[in-house]
Amino acid sequence: MSSAADPPPRGAEAPITVEQALRMPCLAGATLVAGARGVGCEIRGVNVMDDIDIVRWMQGGELLLSTGYSVRDDPSALCRLVQPLADRGLAALAIKLGLYLDELPPDLQASADRAGLPIITLPPTMMFSDILSELLSSILNRQAVELERSAAIHSRLTAVAAAGGSLQELAVAVAELVQRPVAIRDGNGQTLAGIDDVPTGAEASYVTRPIMIGNVEQGQIVMWTEGTEDAQPHQLRTMEQAATVAAMAMAQQRAVLFSERRHRTLLLMQLVSRRPPDRAEIARWAAAMGWDLVAPRAVVLIELENAGAPLRVAGQPLEDQLIRVVQEASGTGAIIWGLETGLALLVEPGRSLGRVCCLIHAAVHRALEGVSVMVAAGRVYDDPGKLQRSHEEALSALSLGRDLRGRDFVVEHEELGVYRLLSRLETAELRRHRDETLARLLEYDRAHSGSLVETLEAFLRCDYNRVHTAAQLFIHYNTLRYRLAQIDRLTDDARRDPTSRLNLELAVCAHRLLMGRGAA
């Protein structure tokens, strides 16, 4: 083992090239099939392609790994990707064959040769995690030597990284090397590893080094010093290298998490938005993802708005926070995934779906003050093959909830009753029925700034109980009696006849829907 004063090993300063990477154990069995003149390109990172729009996220120097999933329906899209990836400075593109692509498109070799972009094929048994671990460890070792860090520091921290050590293990290693208290914090200042509290008497005495992923600071390595003592050079070098290790660990965790989350979301949306081919496929999905789909479940949708504008959730930092909040409110059995402007859940409601929805609504409000929260639920089904129906019901309830209750509510499909039928009618038909029954009331309210329609709606909602209606409207009982007499006069005593009373109630419901649609 070399000491901190030893010179760096000869040749270790150079970054790893594609050609060198192909000789590493993690790529044993890989084959270079095109772009041979680019094998001298330096590899400065490793990424995984799940989206055909990956080009704009490339920083240059990456080895890009892909299963071909995003181009499975159009393999020729790979040919169109070659030049943009080469322009971005991609080191090489490695594609695993045998999962979603059995062979590469015929024109890919010529395109890659022209662009000088190495194309590598991988056998289906080769694991991305092995490639990521070994290549990132090798890159880290070379960068450490290039920056002339101490061999002892290099050995200890790269050992943590190569072993897939946690951030806590990294913090412990750094603390032992610098002999000072150390913490690793995220971009929001929350402690991820190391000590939780500032050491006594050292509140203002600490130094930091940023954890950079790309050009964005994603956290800090923090080291507390003793009093006014300055940090020593070897301590700063240790922190800098630790920041590099932490950045790679965080980036790798993020890439794996994002990939898994995308795949999980695709499966869940397929489960609830269209009927899967058969029960066997549902069982395979459940087994692979660890889902319990035996218990009765319902689909719950959460939509968020901020100042009247949809709030972006999926793919944003907010997604992780919301999932944690909703998981706590809905129970550990809930299956949750992000949508563009909210979340979707498969919940096990037990005896009260409404209570679960109210807990979710309250929890999100506490977490996001000032945000409008709309929660809508479909019915509970004990057959996972019927979750598509629950999803359709939740979508319908969400739409009706906006019409009936504005932009902040909890609503279940079951409680919407006649509104589910009326919502299927065209606006013109709703208006025609409303006007045939309530035209004189509406005209009276417009002419006298009255509240007869509002009074009638409250009276129906209170099941014709005058005392409750007066209390709900905050008016005197005699005022209510006068208004009801006016309503009877203007509707020709419709409340006295069962058929006319039903038309009256439907007309009030139609009016409420029209108001919600902004078509009154």
Side-chain angles (χ1 to χ4, degrees), residues 256-266 315-316 319-320 323 337-338:
V256 172
L257 177 63
F258 182 73
S259 178
E260 290 177 352
R261 183 174 288 173
R262 283 288 303 274
H263 184 60
R264 187 171 181 270
T265 298
L266 286 171
Q316 305 298 312
E319 183 177 4
D320 290 335
I323 288 177
W337 66 100

PDB file of all heavy atoms in Angstrom, residues 256-266 315-316 319-320 323 337-338:
ATOM      1  N   VAL A 256     -30.740   4.792 -11.132  1.00  0.00           N
ATOM      2  CA  VAL A 256     -31.427   3.517 -10.908  1.00  0.00           C
ATOM      3  C   VAL A 256     -32.849   3.757 -10.435  1.00  0.00           C
ATOM      4  O   VAL A 256     -33.802   3.116 -10.907  1.00  0.00           O
ATOM      5  CB  VAL A 256     -30.636   2.677  -9.879  1.00  0.00           C
ATOM      6  CG1 VAL A 256     -31.428   1.435  -9.486  1.00  0.00           C
ATOM      7  CG2 VAL A 256     -29.288   2.269 -10.453  1.00  0.00           C
ATOM      8  N   LEU A 257     -33.019   4.696  -9.491  1.00  0.00           N
ATOM      9  CA  LEU A 257     -34.345   4.998  -8.968  1.00  0.00           C
ATOM     10  C   LEU A 257     -35.254   5.512 -10.069  1.00  0.00           C
ATOM     11  O   LEU A 257     -36.420   5.105 -10.189  1.00  0.00           O
ATOM     12  CB  LEU A 257     -34.241   6.031  -7.841  1.00  0.00           C
ATOM     13  CG  LEU A 257     -35.568   6.506  -7.232  1.00  0.00           C
ATOM     14  CD1 LEU A 257     -36.285   5.351  -6.573  1.00  0.00           C
ATOM     15  CD2 LEU A 257     -35.321   7.620  -6.222  1.00  0.00           C
ATOM     16  N   PHE A 258     -34.725   6.434 -10.905  1.00  0.00           N
ATOM     17  CA  PHE A 258     -35.539   6.998 -11.977  1.00  0.00           C
ATOM     18  C   PHE A 258     -35.939   5.913 -12.972  1.00  0.00           C
ATOM     19  O   PHE A 258     -37.090   5.848 -13.426  1.00  0.00           O
ATOM     20  CB  PHE A 258     -34.757   8.101 -12.694  1.00  0.00           C
ATOM     21  CG  PHE A 258     -35.530   8.776 -13.791  1.00  0.00           C
ATOM     22  CD1 PHE A 258     -36.560   9.654 -13.499  1.00  0.00           C
ATOM     23  CD2 PHE A 258     -35.239   8.534 -15.129  1.00  0.00           C
ATOM     24  CE1 PHE A 258     -37.277  10.276 -14.506  1.00  0.00           C
ATOM     25  CE2 PHE A 258     -35.952   9.147 -16.140  1.00  0.00           C
ATOM     26  CZ  PHE A 258     -36.971  10.023 -15.825  1.00  0.00           C
ATOM     27  N   SER A 259     -35.007   5.026 -13.307  1.00  0.00           N
ATOM     28  CA  SER A 259     -35.295   3.946 -14.242  1.00  0.00           C
ATOM     29  C   SER A 259     -36.361   3.012 -13.683  1.00  0.00           C
ATOM     30  O   SER A 259     -37.326   2.649 -14.372  1.00  0.00           O
ATOM     31  CB  SER A 259     -34.021   3.155 -14.544  1.00  0.00           C
ATOM     32  OG  SER A 259     -34.291   2.076 -15.410  1.00  0.00           O
ATOM     33  N   GLU A 260     -36.193   2.628 -12.404  1.00  0.00           N
ATOM     34  CA  GLU A 260     -37.169   1.740 -11.789  1.00  0.00           C
ATOM     35  C   GLU A 260     -38.544   2.414 -11.690  1.00  0.00           C
ATOM     36  O   GLU A 260     -39.573   1.785 -11.924  1.00  0.00           O
ATOM     37  CB  GLU A 260     -36.690   1.337 -10.393  1.00  0.00           C
ATOM     38  CG  GLU A 260     -35.490   0.402 -10.412  1.00  0.00           C
ATOM     39  CD  GLU A 260     -34.998   0.073  -9.014  1.00  0.00           C
ATOM     40  OE1 GLU A 260     -35.496   0.703  -8.053  1.00  0.00           O
ATOM     41  OE2 GLU A 260     -34.122  -0.799  -8.878  1.00  0.00           O
ATOM     42  N   ARG A 261     -38.524   3.706 -11.348  1.00  0.00           N
ATOM     43  CA  ARG A 261     -39.800   4.417 -11.193  1.00  0.00           C
ATOM     44  C   ARG A 261     -40.528   4.545 -12.529  1.00  0.00           C
ATOM     45  O   ARG A 261     -41.747   4.384 -12.605  1.00  0.00           O
ATOM     46  CB  ARG A 261     -39.541   5.799 -10.584  1.00  0.00           C
ATOM     47  CG  ARG A 261     -40.793   6.596 -10.320  1.00  0.00           C
ATOM     48  CD  ARG A 261     -40.477   7.883  -9.598  1.00  0.00           C
ATOM     49  NE  ARG A 261     -40.094   7.626  -8.217  1.00  0.00           N
ATOM     50  CZ  ARG A 261     -39.639   8.571  -7.401  1.00  0.00           C
ATOM     51  NH1 ARG A 261     -39.494   9.802  -7.826  1.00  0.00           N
ATOM     52  NH2 ARG A 261     -39.324   8.277  -6.159  1.00  0.00           N
ATOM     53  N   ARG A 262     -39.777   4.817 -13.605  1.00  0.00           N
ATOM     54  CA  ARG A 262     -40.406   4.913 -14.919  1.00  0.00           C
ATOM     55  C   ARG A 262     -41.040   3.590 -15.325  1.00  0.00           C
ATOM     56  O   ARG A 262     -42.167   3.536 -15.825  1.00  0.00           O
ATOM     57  CB  ARG A 262     -39.364   5.326 -15.963  1.00  0.00           C
ATOM     58  CG  ARG A 262     -39.002   6.801 -15.942  1.00  0.00           C
ATOM     59  CD  ARG A 262     -40.145   7.664 -16.501  1.00  0.00           C
ATOM     60  NE  ARG A 262     -40.499   7.278 -17.848  1.00  0.00           N
ATOM     61  CZ  ARG A 262     -39.907   7.737 -18.932  1.00  0.00           C
ATOM     62  NH1 ARG A 262     -38.919   8.607 -18.816  1.00  0.00           N
ATOM     63  NH2 ARG A 262     -40.293   7.347 -20.131  1.00  0.00           N
ATOM     64  N   HIS A 263     -40.296   2.501 -15.116  1.00  0.00           N
ATOM     65  CA  HIS A 263     -40.814   1.184 -15.470  1.00  0.00           C
ATOM     66  C   HIS A 263     -42.039   0.848 -14.630  1.00  0.00           C
ATOM     67  O   HIS A 263     -43.050   0.336 -15.135  1.00  0.00           O
ATOM     68  CB  HIS A 263     -39.718   0.138 -15.255  1.00  0.00           C
ATOM     69  CG  HIS A 263     -40.103  -1.238 -15.681  1.00  0.00           C
ATOM     70  ND1 HIS A 263     -40.467  -1.550 -16.973  1.00  0.00           N
ATOM     71  CD2 HIS A 263     -40.189  -2.407 -14.980  1.00  0.00           C
ATOM     72  CE1 HIS A 263     -40.758  -2.835 -17.054  1.00  0.00           C
ATOM     73  NE2 HIS A 263     -40.601  -3.370 -15.858  1.00  0.00           N
ATOM     74  N   ARG A 264     -41.971   1.160 -13.334  1.00  0.00           N
ATOM     75  CA  ARG A 264     -43.083   0.900 -12.423  1.00  0.00           C
ATOM     76  C   ARG A 264     -44.320   1.693 -12.830  1.00  0.00           C
ATOM     77  O   ARG A 264     -45.442   1.169 -12.855  1.00  0.00           O
ATOM     78  CB  ARG A 264     -42.626   1.299 -11.018  1.00  0.00           C
ATOM     79  CG  ARG A 264     -43.551   0.960  -9.881  1.00  0.00           C
ATOM     80  CD  ARG A 264     -42.811   1.242  -8.570  1.00  0.00           C
ATOM     81  NE  ARG A 264     -43.616   0.930  -7.422  1.00  0.00           N
ATOM     82  CZ  ARG A 264     -44.426   1.802  -6.818  1.00  0.00           C
ATOM     83  NH1 ARG A 264     -44.512   3.027  -7.279  1.00  0.00           N
ATOM     84  NH2 ARG A 264     -45.120   1.445  -5.753  1.00  0.00           N
ATOM     85  N   THR A 265     -44.124   2.965 -13.171  1.00  0.00           N
ATOM     86  CA  THR A 265     -45.243   3.807 -13.570  1.00  0.00           C
ATOM     87  C   THR A 265     -45.885   3.304 -14.858  1.00  0.00           C
ATOM     88  O   THR A 265     -47.121   3.285 -14.987  1.00  0.00           O
ATOM     89  CB  THR A 265     -44.770   5.267 -13.747  1.00  0.00           C
ATOM     90  OG1 THR A 265     -44.283   5.755 -12.494  1.00  0.00           O
ATOM     91  CG2 THR A 265     -45.900   6.157 -14.226  1.00  0.00           C
ATOM     92  N   LEU A 266     -45.063   2.878 -15.815  1.00  0.00           N
ATOM     93  CA  LEU A 266     -45.600   2.335 -17.067  1.00  0.00           C
ATOM     94  C   LEU A 266     -46.483   1.123 -16.798  1.00  0.00           C
ATOM     95  O   LEU A 266     -47.580   0.989 -17.378  1.00  0.00           O
ATOM     96  CB  LEU A 266     -44.461   1.967 -18.013  1.00  0.00           C
ATOM     97  CG  LEU A 266     -43.729   3.124 -18.695  1.00  0.00           C
ATOM     98  CD1 LEU A 266     -42.487   2.618 -19.413  1.00  0.00           C
ATOM     99  CD2 LEU A 266     -44.643   3.841 -19.674  1.00  0.00           C
ATOM    100  N   GLY A 315     -41.309  13.672 -11.995  1.00  0.00           N
ATOM    101  CA  GLY A 315     -39.964  14.035 -12.416  1.00  0.00           C
ATOM    102  C   GLY A 315     -39.386  15.230 -11.697  1.00  0.00           C
ATOM    103  O   GLY A 315     -38.240  15.610 -11.943  1.00  0.00           O
ATOM    104  N   GLN A 316     -40.157  15.843 -10.786  1.00  0.00           N
ATOM    105  CA  GLN A 316     -39.690  17.001 -10.038  1.00  0.00           C
ATOM    106  C   GLN A 316     -39.303  16.588  -8.616  1.00  0.00           C
ATOM    107  O   GLN A 316     -39.751  15.544  -8.112  1.00  0.00           O
ATOM    108  CB  GLN A 316     -40.788  18.077  -9.974  1.00  0.00           C
ATOM    109  CG  GLN A 316     -41.318  18.498 -11.332  1.00  0.00           C
ATOM    110  CD  GLN A 316     -40.241  19.114 -12.204  1.00  0.00           C
ATOM    111  OE1 GLN A 316     -39.498  19.976 -11.771  1.00  0.00           O
ATOM    112  NE2 GLN A 316     -40.149  18.648 -13.441  1.00  0.00           N
ATOM    113  N   GLU A 319     -41.977  15.311  -6.244  1.00  0.00           N
ATOM    114  CA  GLU A 319     -42.572  13.971  -6.335  1.00  0.00           C
ATOM    115  C   GLU A 319     -42.212  13.109  -5.133  1.00  0.00           C
ATOM    116  O   GLU A 319     -43.085  12.470  -4.519  1.00  0.00           O
ATOM    117  CB  GLU A 319     -42.137  13.297  -7.635  1.00  0.00           C
ATOM    118  CG  GLU A 319     -42.772  11.924  -7.831  1.00  0.00           C
ATOM    119  CD  GLU A 319     -42.386  11.296  -9.152  1.00  0.00           C
ATOM    120  OE1 GLU A 319     -41.564  11.886  -9.891  1.00  0.00           O
ATOM    121  OE2 GLU A 319     -42.881  10.191  -9.443  1.00  0.00           O
ATOM    122  N   ASP A 320     -40.926  13.072  -4.773  1.00  0.00           N
ATOM    123  CA  ASP A 320     -40.494  12.246  -3.649  1.00  0.00           C
ATOM    124  C   ASP A 320     -41.162  12.689  -2.349  1.00  0.00           C
ATOM    125  O   ASP A 320     -41.609  11.865  -1.549  1.00  0.00           O
ATOM    126  CB  ASP A 320     -38.972  12.310  -3.493  1.00  0.00           C
ATOM    127  CG  ASP A 320     -38.252  11.594  -4.623  1.00  0.00           C
ATOM    128  OD1 ASP A 320     -38.856  10.683  -5.218  1.00  0.00           O
ATOM    129  OD2 ASP A 320     -37.104  11.949  -4.920  1.00  0.00           O
ATOM    130  N   ILE A 323     -44.898  11.662  -2.343  1.00  0.00           N
ATOM    131  CA  ILE A 323     -45.084  10.221  -2.173  1.00  0.00           C
ATOM    132  C   ILE A 323     -44.897   9.835  -0.714  1.00  0.00           C
ATOM    133  O   ILE A 323     -45.661   9.028  -0.164  1.00  0.00           O
ATOM    134  CB  ILE A 323     -44.129   9.444  -3.097  1.00  0.00           C
ATOM    135  CG1 ILE A 323     -44.605   9.568  -4.567  1.00  0.00           C
ATOM    136  CG2 ILE A 323     -44.051   7.974  -2.694  1.00  0.00           C
ATOM    137  CD1 ILE A 323     -43.699   8.901  -5.570  1.00  0.00           C
ATOM    138  N   TRP A 337     -47.808   6.298  -7.449  1.00  0.00           N
ATOM    139  CA  TRP A 337     -46.911   6.730  -8.514  1.00  0.00           C
ATOM    140  C   TRP A 337     -47.253   8.158  -8.932  1.00  0.00           C
ATOM    141  O   TRP A 337     -48.366   8.647  -8.699  1.00  0.00           O
ATOM    142  CB  TRP A 337     -46.956   5.773  -9.703  1.00  0.00           C
ATOM    143  CG  TRP A 337     -48.233   5.680 -10.482  1.00  0.00           C
ATOM    144  CD1 TRP A 337     -48.516   6.286 -11.675  1.00  0.00           C
ATOM    145  CD2 TRP A 337     -49.413   4.912 -10.152  1.00  0.00           C
ATOM    146  NE1 TRP A 337     -49.769   5.939 -12.109  1.00  0.00           N
ATOM    147  CE2 TRP A 337     -50.335   5.096 -11.200  1.00  0.00           C
ATOM    148  CE3 TRP A 337     -49.765   4.082  -9.088  1.00  0.00           C
ATOM    149  CZ2 TRP A 337     -51.589   4.492 -11.213  1.00  0.00           C
ATOM    150  CZ3 TRP A 337     -51.022   3.483  -9.101  1.00  0.00           C
ATOM    151  CH2 TRP A 337     -51.907   3.687 -10.146  1.00  0.00           C
ATOM    152  N   GLY A 338     -46.269   8.822  -9.528  1.00  0.00           N
ATOM    153  CA  GLY A 338     -46.422  10.223  -9.890  1.00  0.00           C
ATOM    154  C   GLY A 338     -47.093  10.411 -11.242  1.00  0.00           C
ATOM    155  O   GLY A 338     -46.864   9.638 -12.177  1.00  0.00           O
TER     156      GLY A 338
END
